[in-house]
Amino acid sequence: MNKFYITTPIYYVNARPHIGHAYTTIACDTVARRERMLGVDTYFLTGTDEHGQKIERAAQAAGKSPQQLTDEVSAEFRKLWDRMGLTYDDFIRTTEDRHKKSVQQLFRTIRDNGFIYKGTYTGQYCVYDELYVDATEPGAPCPECGRPTETVHEENYFFKLSAFQDKLLHLYTEQPDFIRPETRRNEVMSFVRSGLRDLSVSRSTFSWGIPVPDDPRHVIYVWLDALANYITALGYGRDDDKLFHKYWPADVQMIGKEIVRFHCVYWPAFLMAAGIALPRGIVAHGWLLFEENKMSKSRGNIVRAETILDVLGTDALRYFLLREIVFGQDGSFSFDALVQRYNSDLANGLGNLASRTLTMITRYFGGAVPTPAAVDGTIADTARKVIQEFGAAFDQFQFSRALEGAWGLVAAVDRYIVENAPWALDEKKDEPSRARLGTVLYTSAEALRIVTALAHPVIPEATARIWAQLGLGEIRKFALSGLKWGELQPGTRLGKVEPVFPRADKSAIERMQKMEEQERTAPAAEAKPVAGPKVITAPAAAAPDGKITIDDFAKVELRVGQVKVAERVPKADKLLRLEVDLGTEVRQVVAGIAESYAPETLVGRKVVIVANLAPRKLRGLESNGMIVAASPEGGKAILAGFLEDVPVGTRLK
Ligand code: MSP
């Protein structure tokens, strides 16, 4: 069938977008662009995941209503995708009416088919991962993120996941490409083989979600709500379901490896229960690491895409992510590596090949592609091989291998130009040299055309410009399926030749680092409470005797946190690096308490954190908050604590 439907996960709106989110979306955009160039009717979906307790609490912490927070953050994702020129066909938000209607229809269908029943759930729940956990002890750590789970006791609706164990195993065996790569498939198979318990698919302890049909005291479990986006965006369960009939099932559903279980176990089971066709394949990639850890808001180690776009442009980010990281595996981001790749492959590689080839054609042939006197076999053969291998690698999502091959052609043409020295041929001014000059420059330009066409889905902006400089018009109209050696027509008049990738100097690295540093240390925009007793509109009146008013005190956000990780900071005798759970997020805090406490005695301990302190760096580590301690004169610091048990995240006031 000549259609292709590709989806990204929908992103949580409790965090602003960073290049980890951009990574998946760029990979999907690249695949979608290639499919379109191959003439396939393509539909590309992305969006935001906006319900659930995590979002509700994040909104609370920011002093906003959930709708206000979701509107703001969702718009940021969309704005960034648009700035990067991502070619999504639809952007779904789970708070939209169209989605809610379809999700309720899906719930009803599964219930009518006998796979949803009412029962009682008592157990542990991880709010951060929105995940029911098999542990029995209150506060047991979540197996995914290590944060303490919360005990929930609810009358809930349950999904008969246990009824799908054999069907799922059959699916993984019959359709080996359902989960890629192989390592993820093996993990999922062993998880399912170990037995599946029924899954709670409603919650009644909070309300930020889609009401269960006919029982609005419950909201639908956020993962059932979120996964459904892939069909609700197409109109499933509504009158306007044309797109659903046209594009479903999805051809590729791309995700990060941490959400494999939801997509490869729950999602197909929900679909089977509703009698809906299954996606053709779920493709999981690895994590983008920064400073050796998964880039994430809770670790405070994110890099924003905007910084890279401002300094190097979209193509640089796209090329780096797809060339540097072996898709499926974890890969590290660093500004050094980004600039190095940019200079070596884009500025000195493709950019330089384009400008020298086109400049020589302008100079020696008046700006018209010369007629080759012969076919220069080696380059033509390399190009043919590259076209074939590029497609094969791309079909396997091996972007870095595909690009490596194409850039092998760039290097081969560079050598070819040096060996044939067109400038020397031009100087000879004899017929055979002139004929040879035509062959060399035609060959170079034709190889440039081929790399440009292949690379277009990855670096769309620069390739569109090179294509126009080659005198070929609009690249998006080019049919990639017809790409073959020798199609460049002699006599084609070149467009205006201009450099596409200016070299980046060392200051680019510093500039980007500084921009990110500033972003991290800038005080967060003041939260504007939407409800509550008092909105501060004017500076609080100063109280006499150097005393502060209650409004001044209210500016300090003190919260109960729980230490998850504590370790010494190398070469700093007084400092400990802590990861402190605040209920809605885990913060890194660097504290000068190493002389008072051994790190291992702190793990699990509840502490008081100044949560709205502007971040600062200590020994190169970002400290995101301050731990409260008594500091006796000349003595050691003593941490503030509680005699009674207090829930994590509680505000002190
Ligand atoms: N809302 C769920 C997904 C629901 S899909 C029905 C969710 N959202 S998320 O905001 O946490 O984003 C998850 C996705 O963002 C990951 O699966 C991955 O695609 C991308 N990434 C976020 N951080 C990333 C890295 N550090 N590295 C690579 N990808 C990352 O889970």
Side-chain angles (χ1 to χ4, degrees), residues 411-632:
V413 181
D414 267 339
R415 280 196 303 274
Y416 171 79
I417 292 178
V418 172
E419 282 160 12
N420 286 282
W423 43 90
L425 290 170
D426 176 63
E427 273 176 11
K428 288 197 183 142
K429 309 279 180 225
D430 56 52
E431 261 314 300
S433 302
R434 180 80 185 153
R436 181 73 195 140
L437 180 61
T439 304
V440 171
L441 289 185
Y442 178 87
T443 304
S444 307
E446 175 58 343
L448 173 66
R449 183 186 73 98
I450 285 174
V451 174
T452 304
L454 290 174
H456 179 60
V458 181
I459 44 173
E461 287 180 3
T463 47
R465 292 172 59 202
I466 297 174
W467 199 256
Q469 294 181 28
L470 273 163
L472 300 172
E474 275 188 67
I475 194 166
R476 47 178 197 94
K477 296 195 182 142
F478 177 70
L480 194 57
S481 44
L483 184 66
K484 58 175 193 283
W485 183 267
E487 297 280 291
L488 179 61
Q489 295 307 313
T492 305
R493 290 218 65 83
L494 301 188
K496 187 158 178 258
V497 180
E498 281 169 335
V500 283
F501 292 115
R503 246 192 94 80
D505 59 26
K506 254 209 138 62
S507 74
I509 300 177
E510 283 154 28
R511 275 212 317 278
M512 288 188 283
Q513 280 169 335
K514 210 175 244 153
M515 284 159 84
E516 283 304 276
E517 185 95 342
Q518 271 167 359
E519 179 70 20
R520 275 181 222 169
T521 48
E526 207 179 311
K528 294 183 197 75
V530 286
K534 194 177 231 168
V535 177
I536 304 168
T537 49
D545 313 331
K547 295 200 168 123
I548 62 167
T549 65
I550 187 78
D551 291 341
D552 287 332
F553 174 68
K555 288 182 193 158
V556 183
E557 187 187 333
L558 293 169
R559 286 198 186 270
V560 179
Q562 187 171 37
V563 178
K564 307 305 300 174
V565 174
E567 59 193 24
R568 293 191 185 280
V569 175
K571 296 194 214 110
D573 296 344
K574 297 195 175 141
L575 295 183
L576 291 184
R577 189 188 78 83
L578 308 173
E579 286 179 28
V580 182
D581 185 5
L582 289 181
T584 48
E585 57 177 311
V586 173
R587 293 273 191 93
Q588 173 168 286
V589 175
V590 182
I593 52 171
E595 290 173 330
S596 313
Y597 295 92
E600 57 280 8
T601 61
L602 292 176
V603 175
R605 179 164 173 159
K606 297 217 169 131
V607 291
V608 177
I609 295 288
V610 183
N612 61 342
L613 206 60
R616 60 184 186 137
K617 279 220 163 161
L618 291 163
R619 295 282 169 144
L621 291 171
E622 183 171 287
S623 185
N624 233 313
M626 192 179 89
I627 194 159
V628 178
S631 310

Side-chain angles (χ1 to χ4, degrees), residues 269-420:
F270 292 151
L271 290 169
M272 286 178 193
I276 301 171
L278 304 183
R280 301 224 155 82
I282 311 285
V283 178
H285 62 68
W287 285 337
L288 195 57
L289 312 176
F290 187 54
E291 292 161 353
E292 288 164 30
N293 282 308
K294 182 188 179 209
M295 189 176 288
S296 72
K297 179 192 163 196
S298 56
R299 285 199 179 79
N301 64 342
I302 62 157
V303 173
R304 295 166 320 125
E306 290 86 341
T307 297
I308 300 166
L309 304 185
D310 282 351
V311 176
L312 296 175
T314 315
D315 283 352
L317 175 61
R318 295 173 69 104
Y319 183 81
F320 176 82
L321 293 174
L322 296 180
R323 172 64 185 89
E324 190 84 8
I325 298 168
V326 176
F327 201 76
Q329 296 176 17
D330 293 351
S332 291
F333 175 84
S334 78
F335 289 110
D336 281 35
L338 170 69
V339 169
Q340 200 180 334
R341 256 298 161 211
Y342 172 84
N343 277 335
S344 69
D345 291 16
L346 299 180
N348 297 341
L350 181 63
N352 186 43
L353 175 65
S355 86
R356 72 200 299 206
T357 303
L358 301 176
T359 306
M360 285 191 285
I361 293 178
T362 306
R363 190 171 303 151
Y364 306 142
F365 291 94
V369 173
T371 308
V375 175
D376 232 328
T378 356
I379 295 291
D381 287 346
T382 310
R384 284 190 195 103
K385 198 160 145 259
V386 164
I387 295 174
Q388 194 258 324
E389 290 177 355
F390 192 95
F394 233 79
D395 290 345
Q396 298 299 318
F397 307 98
Q398 292 172 350
F399 307 111
S400 64
R401 190 191 291 175
L403 291 169
E404 193 181 358
W407 260 252
L409 180 59
V410 172
V413 181
D414 267 339
R415 280 196 303 274
Y416 171 79
I417 292 178
V418 172
E419 282 160 12
N420 286 282

Side-chain angles (χ1 to χ4, degrees), residues 9-12 18 20-21 23-24 49 223 226-227 229-230 255-256 258-259 263 285-288 294-295:
I10 47 170
Y11 303 103
Y12 281 134
H18 56 70
H21 306 114
Y23 179 43
T24 321
D49 185 355
W223 270 100
L227 287 161
N229 90 87
Y230 303 129
I255 56 170
E258 77 289 356
I259 51 176
H263 283 81
H285 62 68
W287 285 337
L288 195 57
K294 182 188 179 209
M295 189 176 288

